[in-house]
Amino acid sequence: MKKVVLVILLVLGLSSLGSASPPRVLCTTTIISDVVGQIGDDDIELSVLLPVNADPHGFEPTPKDIAQISDADIVFINGADLELGLQPFLEAAAGRIVSLSEHLPLRRLETEGGSEWFDPHVWFDPRNVMTWSAVIAKTLGELDPANRGSYEERASEYRSELEELDSWIVEQVGKIPPSKRKLVTDHAAFGYFAARYGFEQVGTVFPGFSTLSDPSAREIADLEDKIRSLGVPVIFVGTTVNPSLAERIASDTGTKVVFLYTGSLSRPDGPAGSYIALIHYDVEAIVTALSEAK
Ligand SMILES: [Zn+2]
């Protein structure tokens, strides 16, 4: 009799231990990891693949990263061609891969060679991150039904913060005269931002949506002409990108380089330690640089 009770207690104990072990959730970028952490909080075991300041376009995984991908219960990726270097390893992963861009209206770019690229920088429109939060809550709830209510609740609170963020951006960019809402950046990371808040991406140092190919001498000369003729005062450069070419173009054209956070958060104690802090930092830098210019 005693033995039976002991066995029952053991089985109960083990099963409650099993359900208490939180889902292992892996995210590719620090930006995604922050958003997933807002929703998963202490109910998940969260890790992030890319270190702070890694360029997501050029990231190649180490054997340790590949092991992490295969150990995770779920991997949240940006998708839309952002993590090209990870593609083969994601395809081989055992756990579920969720692309947060899958149901978003994506911007596209057709190159002269006829190939088509997606613009992966969807997080520069907070309304897209609201969609992310719904996808993340739903996915975590499926993986861990016991905490489904908490995931949904935190996602809905976070969406209100994102709505506030969106209104704040509208108010801030209102300080820039519409004729000065022209962005020259290291690469075309601000398409969604420009479309949402009435800017125009007039030129980039590196061609296209990525940082992986260098511009030709001709492309650099064309960009310098454009900067002069439009009177653009600033080249915005992401912290994940080597700024030397942008600095040379700035010195040729008498403009200045201003740093923004584009593909990565800062360290947690830095100025862009969360997604919302990143957007605040960038918008303030853009507003200051463009509204003060003559
Ligand atoms: Zn980028």
Side-chain angles (χ1 to χ4, degrees):
M1 189 62 190
K2 264 184 188 167
K3 240 182 203 170
V4 171
V5 171
L6 192 67
V7 167
I8 290 171
L9 281 175
L10 258 175
V11 167
L12 284 174
L14 281 176
S15 65
S16 72
L17 202 70
S19 68
S21 116
R24 283 163 306 176
V25 180
L26 180 64
C27 303
T28 52
T29 73
T30 50
I31 294 170
I32 295 172
S33 171
D34 173 56
V35 178
V36 170
Q38 300 291 334
I39 296 158
D41 203 14
D42 288 341
D43 294 323
I44 60 173
E45 193 186 304
L46 180 62
S47 14
V48 58
L49 211 52
L50 273 68
V52 162
N53 279 340
D55 178 0
H57 299 286
F59 184 74
E60 305 218 347
T62 63
K64 194 178 150 245
D65 295 331
I66 295 162
Q68 252 192 307
I69 293 173
S70 56
D71 284 349
D73 295 316
I74 196 142
V75 186
F76 286 108
I77 70 168
N78 184 81
D81 298 337
L82 183 72
E83 301 98 337
L84 286 178
L86 286 177
Q87 218 68 43
F89 308 100
L90 294 170
E91 278 157 22
R96 212 177 135 195
I97 308 291
V98 175
S99 164
L100 292 172
S101 300
E102 201 181 326
H103 301 294
L104 294 176
L106 295 177
R107 302 177 68 251
R108 289 155 201 263
L109 176 79
E110 221 168 301
T111 61
E112 282 170 20
S115 55
E116 196 184 46
W117 293 92
F118 291 116
D119 180 351
H121 307 90
V122 295
W123 59 90
F124 277 111
D125 182 340
R127 294 172 307 172
N128 288 336
V129 180
M130 290 181 205
T131 307
W132 283 12
S133 75
V135 174
I136 293 163
K138 182 169 178 282
T139 309
L140 294 178
E142 283 163 6
L143 198 67
D144 176 22
N147 290 310
R148 179 175 293 161
S150 312
Y151 298 133
E152 292 294 345
E153 201 173 304
R154 287 192 289 256
S156 133
E157 277 166 26
Y158 190 56
R159 272 195 296 279
S160 333
E161 289 181 47
L162 296 174
E163 257 166 51
E164 265 173 50
L165 179 70
D166 179 58
S167 325
W168 178 83
I169 302 170
V170 170
E171 196 188 296
Q172 292 300 306
V173 303
K175 297 177 183 171
I176 310 171
S179 64
K180 288 184 181 173
R181 291 184 202 164
K182 294 188 172 75
L183 298 173
V184 173
T185 54
D186 63 80
H187 71 297
F190 287 87
Y192 296 93
F193 181 84
R196 171 69 181 138
Y197 303 108
F199 286 76
E200 200 187 338
Q201 285 194 118
V202 292
T204 60
V205 175
F206 298 101
F209 293 137
S210 171
T211 53
L212 302 181
S213 49
D214 286 326
S216 63
R218 178 62 195 272
E219 285 170 317
I220 295 173
D222 285 350
L223 178 62
E224 293 190 349
D225 285 347
K226 203 179 255 178
I227 289 171
R228 290 192 188 97
S229 69
L230 294 173
V232 175
V234 182
I235 303 174
F236 294 105
V237 177
T239 56
T240 55
V241 174
N242 180 344
S244 55
L245 187 52
E247 277 161 358
R248 205 184 89 200
I249 295 170
S251 110
D252 287 351
T253 53
T255 56
K256 62 175 183 175
V257 167
V258 168
F259 286 93
L260 298 178
Y261 289 91
T262 55
S264 167
L265 300 181
S266 67
R267 290 180 193 290
D269 56 353
S274 69
Y275 165 71
I276 290 180
L278 176 149
I279 296 290
H280 271 258
Y281 181 93
D282 285 0
V283 169
E284 276 170 3
I286 290 170
V287 169
T288 304
L290 296 183
S291 59
E292 281 176 359
K294 284 182 202 123

